[in-house]
Structures are given as structure tokens and as C-alpha cells.
Amino acid sequence: MYRGIYFTADQKTLYRINYMSRLISRVLAPLVSFDCPDTDTLYETAKQIRWSDFFRADTTFAVDGNVANSRITHSQYAALCLKDAVVDSLRFKTGMRPDVSARDPDVLLNLYIHKDRAVISVDTSGGPLHKRGYREDTVSAPMQETVAAAIIRVTGWKGSIPLYDPMCGSGTLLCEALMHFCRIPSGIFRKKFGFEALPDFDPQEWNAVKIKADSAIRELPEGRIAGSDLSEQAVHITKTNLMGLHSGTRVRVIRSDFSALPTLENQTIVANPPYGIRMGKHQDLDAFYKKLGDFLKQKCRRSAAYVYFGDPAYIKKIGLKASWKKPIQAGGLDGRLVKYELY
Ligand SMILES: C[S@@+](CC[C@H](N)C(=O)[O-])C[C@H]1O[C@@H](n2cnc3c(N)ncnc32)[C@H](O)[C@@H]1O
């Protein structure tokens, strides 16, 4: 999973990446990069950019700031300096007074300072792409959509055998599996992208990219994706989230304790079990993971299970031999995705 990428190539590819890539959370078009030991340098350099290329009289904007290992230590203050530079520069050169809109800006600028080197970019995505728009509601520890998409990608599942999530929560893994199989563009519900505010935005090219991607969407055959959860509320949320997606009603979701499920043989199993940090320490998670290991061993023969551990300490409790373990750091968790081949 890529948190963000810098992009400088052609428009068509830029539009396609933003519309279709499931693993990237934002695509940034760099404007300038420079040595930036202090906020005066930041302000003065940012003021030199020809901001009128990106702003009409009514354009609103916001700045996302991120600072690491630098003499400037406050991300928010750095972002404020860039915001001031934009406003002052536009006012001085054109008389424009652009408004800041933190919630829904037309132009989202990104400032990244690392080791005293600053990069100012336009966020061509216009905010994180993991917010796909299909999640009406979530359970208390939902997985980020890009993480779920990465897990589905790593499993190599192509739809030739069924995929099952026995503790689906809000259904993020099921939704991402569905989008993957049906080739639903990840940005299908997004109302606007940051690249639409770029001076060379080409609506015809953008429309052509959308038409081509949307025409590749295909149906999900019955019985190909299914899931369950112990919680009635989670089942309801998963069904609601799936309902907005093409073929979503073909994903069967039931309420069940995983240990009461019938056999899940010759399937791809994905699971994101509860873990201490987010679910509350009161549960006896040691026993839970042991029971999960027994379930996989006894009822899931000839399947491959991919279990995402939000807390790697539980890997040893499951009692199964792992084929591999991959680190996935997301949402402040040092998680692991572990594959088990079940014979
Ligand atoms: C970490 S959450 C899953 C989050 C999910 N991946 C999402 O994106 O929303 C863990 C889920 O396991 C479910 N669960 C806990 N114990 C269970 C059991 N014995 N059988 C089935 N599901 C269980 C919980 O209800 C919860 O929804």
C-alpha cells in the first residue's frame, strides 16, 4: 500500500491513477522543492510561486502540512505560513482574496518538509483516496480501505474460487474484494478530484478515462464472495455498505460465530480479528486466537487464510504454522498480514 506518490507525467495517466488505483491514498504534483531551514524561507519561497495559475477569483483552498526530522517542527504552523504566502502573493499580484475552506477546498496544497527540505505540491486527488464513499457506517475498529485493498491484492485472489471473511465488521475486505473482481473504479463515488482545479485540466480526456474504466465493470457471479460476523449490527452495516456497490447484493452476509460456520474448504479466507488496542483489553483474546486457529485447521481444509493481526503479539496464540508474514503499518498500528496454508 502506498501512502502517496509524486507524479509528473501525462494527464491521462494522472486521471487513471486517481480514478482507479486502489492502493494509493493521494497523488501529488510537485510545484517546487527547496532547502527550508526556517519559516521565513518557507514564506518567501512560497510567495514566488505563480499561484494565479491555480486560482480563479472564487477558488477556495486549504493546506495539508507534514513535517519530519527538521528544524521547523510544527506541521500546522508550517501549513499556516504557506497559506499566508499564497494569500499575500495573490493579493499583491492580482488583487484576489482566496478563501480558505478546510472541509471542501477546490485546491488542496500539500507541504512536506523532511530533513529541512520542503516540497510544495498540489494534491491532484483532492484529499485521501481511501475515502471511497461506499462506507455509510462502520464498526468500532474498521480497516482502512487501502489496507483492505492491499490485502486482497496480496492474496492473489482472482475470483476462480470463493472468498470468505468470517468476521467482516463493516465489510471493508468484502467491498474491496467486490471492487477488485468487478473492476469497479475506486473513485467511482468521488464527486471531485484535485486535478480538476489544475490549469491544464482537460475535461474531455477525463471523461474518456471514466467512460473506459466504467465500461469494464462486470457482474459478480453468485456464491463468489461471502462473509459473516458475530454481531448483528456488523452484518447490517456490511450489507448497507455493499448495497451501494455494483453487484453488492450478490455478496451473502450472515450473522454467525466463526466457530459455528460450516466448512470453508478450497476458499480464500481473509480475516481481521479483534485485537487488544482497539477492541478493549477485557476480552480473552488469547483463547479467541486459539479457537480461530482450531477453526482454520479443522474446518478450512485446502483453503489459504490471510489473517491481519492488528497486534502481532497474537500471532503465536493461533497455533498454526505461517507460510509468510508481511508487515502492514497503518492507522497507528504495527500490524502483520500472515498467510496460513491449510491442508
Ligand atoms: C477488527 S473488527 C473487523 C473490522 C473489519 N475488517 C472492518 O473493516 O470493519 C473484528 C470483528 O470481529 C467480529 N467478531 C468478534 N468475535 C467474533 C466471533 N467469535 N465470530 C465472528 N466474528 C467475531 C467483531 O464483531 C468485529 O466486527
Side-chain angles (χ1 to χ4, degrees):
M1 184 203 24
Y2 312 106
R3 286 187 187 174
I5 55 164
Y6 286 108
F7 188 84
T8 49
D10 64 296
Q11 282 168 311
K12 193 172 168 184
T13 315
L14 174 70
Y15 301 163
R16 276 184 36 221
I17 292 177
N18 269 298
Y19 194 49
M20 297 170 72
S21 294
R22 280 180 231 293
L23 309 183
I24 293 167
S25 67
R26 55 179 79 221
V27 187
L28 303 167
L31 302 177
V32 63
S33 87
F34 52 97
D35 289 330
C36 188
D38 51 54
T39 48
D40 285 347
T41 310
L42 172 62
Y43 177 83
E44 290 303 333
T45 312
K47 252 175 89 176
Q48 306 308 315
I49 296 173
R50 215 169 53 199
W51 293 109
S52 54
D53 281 353
F54 303 94
F55 289 76
R56 296 179 309 271
D58 58 349
T59 303
T60 60
F61 82 110
V63 179
D64 229 10
N66 197 337
V67 168
N69 301 328
S70 297
R71 274 175 274 183
I72 298 176
T73 51
H74 286 96
S75 300
Q76 274 183 333
Y77 183 62
L80 192 68
C81 290
L82 174 54
K83 187 213 83 179
D84 287 347
V86 174
V87 172
D88 293 350
S89 159
L90 278 168
R91 207 160 33 197
F92 181 71
K93 288 184 188 151
T94 67
M96 275 191 235
R97 288 170 162 268
D99 283 330
V100 173
S101 163
R103 287 192 67 201
D104 186 25
D106 298 317
V107 175
L108 179 59
L109 299 175
N110 187 278
L111 169 67
Y112 180 56
I113 306 177
H114 184 239
K115 294 189 176 164
D116 292 336
R117 183 110 192 129
V119 185
I120 298 174
S121 313
V122 177
D123 182 336
T124 72
S125 311
L129 293 172
H130 73 79
K131 293 186 180 166
R132 312 262 202 252
Y134 61 70
R135 282 213 303 220
E136 297 280 330
D137 201 356
T138 61
V139 298
S140 71
M143 180 173 258
Q144 201 173 76
E145 295 90 327
T146 35
V147 174
I151 291 174
I152 299 298
R153 175 78 64 91
V154 166
T155 68
W157 180 76
K158 300 267 190 308
S160 55
I161 57 170
L163 178 138
Y164 198 95
D165 180 351
M167 41 197 91
C168 61
S170 340
T172 319
L173 284 159
L174 298 178
C175 289
E176 292 297 327
L178 176 71
M179 292 184 96
H180 174 66
F181 181 87
C182 296
R183 304 184 185 133
I184 302 168
S186 51
I188 197 155
F189 298 126
R190 207 174 176 86
K191 297 216 168 50
K192 77 178 174 192
F193 288 85
F195 58 70
E196 292 175 55
L198 293 177
D200 59 353
F201 173 58
D202 181 342
Q204 277 181 347
E205 187 78 88
W206 169 220
N207 219 23
V209 165
K210 274 196 294 189
I211 289 171
K212 188 164 179 224
D214 293 355
S215 64
I217 295 174
R218 60 178 176 171
E219 296 291 317
L220 180 78
E222 292 287 350
R224 213 53 71 91
I225 301 177
S228 49
D229 199 286
L230 181 63
S231 147
E232 187 69 59
Q233 195 202 5
V235 170
H236 178 73
I237 291 173
T238 294
K239 283 184 177 171
T240 307
N241 291 340
L242 282 162
M243 209 178 297
L245 288 165
H246 181 89
S247 280
T249 51
R250 294 193 168 189
V251 178
R252 188 159 169 266
V253 187
I254 58 164
R255 183 185 168 274
S256 175
D257 190 308
F258 68 78
S259 59
L261 288 169
T263 54
L264 297 176
E265 295 187 355
N266 195 24
Q267 308 211 3
T268 295
I269 297 167
V270 287
N272 170 209
Y275 42 92
I277 303 166
R278 290 196 179 172
M279 308 297 288
K281 291 272 184 196
H282 59 281
Q283 296 186 45
D284 182 359
L285 285 173
D286 287 4
F288 178 93
Y289 279 93
K290 162 88 177 58
K291 200 163 111 181
L292 177 60
D294 292 347
F295 164 75
L296 292 172
K297 192 158 43 188
Q298 289 155 15
K299 286 193 163 177
C300 305
R301 299 210 163 90
R302 295 186 304 285
S303 291
Y306 300 82
V307 181
Y308 175 71
F309 293 81
D311 182 346
Y314 293 111
I315 296 175
K316 57 181 178 296
K317 306 290 177 193
I318 207 163
L320 295 175
K321 187 170 174 295
S323 302
W324 49 247
K325 299 175 195 160
K326 292 185 193 296
I328 298 187
Q329 277 131 0
L333 296 170
D334 178 27
R336 298 284 181 285
L337 180 67
V338 183
K339 178 180 181 185
Y340 301 102
E341 274 163 296
L342 308 152
Y343 300 99

